[in-house]
Amino acid sequence: MGGQGAVPASAEVVIVGGGIVGAASAFFLARAGLRPVLVERAPALATATTAVSAHCVRAQFSEPENVAMMGESLAIFAEFAAVLKLPPDEADIGLRRQGYLFASTDPDQAAPFAARVALQSALGLDDVELLDGDEIRRRFPFVAPEVVTGTFRAGDGWLDGCRAAELFARASGAPVHVNTEVLEIVRTGGHVTGVRTDRGTIATESVVLATGPFAGELAGEPLPIAPLRRQRLIVSLHGSDGRPAIPQGGPLTIDADTGAHWRPHRGGALIAWGLPEAPGPPHWPVAADPAFADLVLKDPRGVGRISPFWRDLAPRLAPAEIALAAGQYTMTPDHKPLIGPAADTVGLWLHTGYSGHGIMGSPSGARLLADLVVGRVPIEGNPFRPGRFAEGGVVVAEAVVL
Ligand SMILES: Cc1cc2nc3c(=O)[nH]c(=O)nc-3n(C[C@H](O)[C@H](O)[C@H](O)COP(=O)(O)OP(=O)(O)OC[C@H]3O[C@@H](n4cnc5c(N)ncnc54)[C@H](O)[C@@H]3O)c2cc1C
């Protein structure tokens, strides 16, 4: 273990950033035979974006690289203790596979939903169900009568991404240096030669930049990333007082028409909604908008639209039962991560840009990163190569993000 003192004089590879992406990178780089050192400016791991996530994991995507990435990640999470070679009783990441339900009140959505399920099936994701409104309500009686169509995958769910990050770091065996800010990636003749921190310089030829929304600050070249604020609400019920219960057996329930979504969380719920906002510079901490709670709980487009119990419950929640938090998605134009070498600096590896999917994507992404670093897979065939935007032909994703 490292600590808070001086950093080592040299390292085989330095990972900058101790969120889930950096921690997973440490694990897979170590498993590939390297000896990484992890450097984090905060006093502990997983205290920034990772800490304010909704921690949801799903394979329900419709692009081949995303389906493959999330499928691999879910398999890693499902066998976490075995993959990390940790005792099972020490490797509980709270994985709950209660499913993901995308539901719509718009009859015109039935055809696109059916097409997406067919596409997913063609991609090997053959356990996504297309359901009509009655079948959705038979399974989840809390769903509004107006819902007419939806898709459901029972194997999707959520977990504790902070715990997963801690365990990735522990299982990596990598020295972890917290309270250590990286000030500069030192370059000589276009090659990485070191990492300058506020506790000294580490000589190295290899650096993984896993600083989430802050990656642009150290990359030394323009990155196609845009930090975008996203907010989350945790509802903790202190007693029932005759109020409607939050169905704890329910899935992650997404209003596919508005994007508002909620899931059970420790007897209460976790709620999120990607409201339209302009991207801005990276920062931490990220201030939440106090109006967000009222909006997501009481607005006609909020969670009460397809889960009407929220309409009864929302006005009866005490302020102390609501906790609001915010962070930043690290968006890329196609909403897929940047995993691979930087354009201008040999030895600098980018691992960021998960566009709101870094909990679910990072195990697979980190495995890929490690394979790239040790040369086990070629740079060219990698669908997440950072250079893809400069090559042209990348399909820019729609504005709505989950
Ligand atoms: C409200 C919200 C809900 C979300 N819901 C989901 C979800 O349900 N599922 C999902 O998969 N994803 C979700 N995400 C996205 C997910 O949380 C992120 O993709 C993921 O946490 C990114 O991890 P990271 O390690 O890249 O970033 P971070 O967790 O931000 O880690 C980066 C680390 O780098 C450190 N750092 C930065 N600069 C320096 C420096 N110069 N020197 C040293 N250290 C530095 C920071 O302190 C930080 O600890 C959500 C995000 C938000 C905001």
Side-chain angles (χ1 to χ4, degrees):
M1 223 28 205
Q4 306 188 16
V7 292
S10 65
E12 194 167 25
V13 48
V14 176
I15 300 164
V16 189
I20 193 167
V21 172
S25 302
F27 173 75
F28 283 100
L29 286 166
R31 202 176 76 163
L34 299 176
R35 282 160 296 147
V37 168
L38 186 55
V39 178
E40 164 58 50
R41 69 179 169 194
L45 297 176
T47 57
T49 323
T50 300
V52 295
S53 177
H55 304 284
C56 297
V57 291
R58 66 175 155 120
Q60 275 192 76
F61 280 81
S62 40
E63 288 149 311
E65 57 270 42
N66 282 341
V67 170
M69 166 174 265
M70 304 315 171
E72 180 182 0
S73 284
L74 269 165
I76 291 168
F77 284 134
E79 298 294 331
F80 209 61
V83 174
L84 270 60
K85 296 190 170 39
L86 291 174
D89 60 332
E90 294 175 26
D92 182 8
I93 51 169
L95 178 61
R96 300 282 173 275
R97 301 186 95 165
Q98 291 183 205
Y100 247 75
L101 172 70
F102 287 84
S104 174
T105 59
D106 179 359
D108 290 344
Q109 285 302 313
F113 276 18
R116 198 175 68 189
V117 171
L119 178 64
Q120 289 166 331
S121 181
L123 294 171
L125 188 68
D126 56 8
D127 54 1
V128 182
E129 298 176 84
L130 181 67
L131 306 177
D132 65 19
D134 288 341
E135 178 58 19
I136 292 172
R137 278 177 294 280
R138 192 188 66 75
R139 297 186 192 193
F140 310 114
F142 62 83
V143 170
E146 293 82 6
V147 166
V148 290
T149 185
T151 67
F152 178 69
R153 181 172 183 272
D156 294 341
W158 54 88
L159 46 73
D160 181 344
C162 296
R163 180 84 181 125
E166 288 159 18
L167 291 168
F168 268 135
R170 180 177 139 197
S172 76
V176 177
H177 294 269
V178 293
N179 287 320
T180 306
E181 179 160 17
V182 171
L183 305 172
E184 182 192 2
I185 311 289
V186 187
R187 298 156 168 91
T188 309
H191 290 245
V192 169
T193 53
V195 166
R196 185 167 66 84
T197 82
D198 57 0
R199 291 177 185 273
T201 297
I202 310 171
T204 186
E205 293 179 359
S206 202
V207 171
V208 174
L209 203 49
T211 47
F214 290 88
E217 292 192 341
L218 292 170
E221 62 187 74
L223 296 186
I225 58 171
L228 183 63
R229 183 174 72 160
R230 282 294 181 252
Q231 306 183 75
R232 169 195 97 171
L233 196 68
I234 289 183
V235 174
S236 311
L237 290 186
H238 303 154
S240 66
D241 298 329
R243 299 179 296 184
I246 300 173
Q248 293 301 301
L252 181 93
T253 303
I254 303 153
D255 184 332
D257 304 320
T258 71
H261 53 286
W262 72 274
R263 67 164 172 87
H265 177 72
R266 296 181 185 162
L270 190 154
I271 305 176
W273 194 9
L275 295 170
E277 290 201 23
H283 48 169
W284 185 261
V286 180
D289 178 357
F292 179 78
D294 255 14
L295 203 59
V296 73
L297 285 167
K298 297 178 186 164
D299 188 273
R301 297 162 301 141
V303 284
R305 205 180 78 93
I306 65 160
S307 303
F309 71 85
W310 283 111
R311 290 192 197 134
D312 299 336
L313 183 56
R316 298 159 74 185
L317 289 172
E321 293 176 314
I322 296 172
L324 187 56
Q328 288 176 312
Y329 281 11
T330 307
M331 301 303 297
T332 66
D334 61 1
H335 300 183
K336 291 173 199 157
L338 308 179
I339 306 173
D344 295 342
T345 309
V346 177
L348 179 59
W349 298 87
L350 304 176
H351 194 184
T352 183
Y354 275 93
S355 306
H357 304 132
I359 305 294
M360 60 181 98
S362 51
S364 171
R367 192 274 311 148
L368 171 63
L369 174 90
D371 282 350
L372 290 164
V373 171
V374 300
R376 212 181 270 155
V377 300
I379 305 282
E380 297 74 36
N382 162 25
F384 303 114
R385 63 196 178 284
R388 64 189 182 273
F389 303 100
E391 296 161 12
V394 170
V395 178
V396 174
E398 290 172 23
V400 177
V401 287
L402 192 62

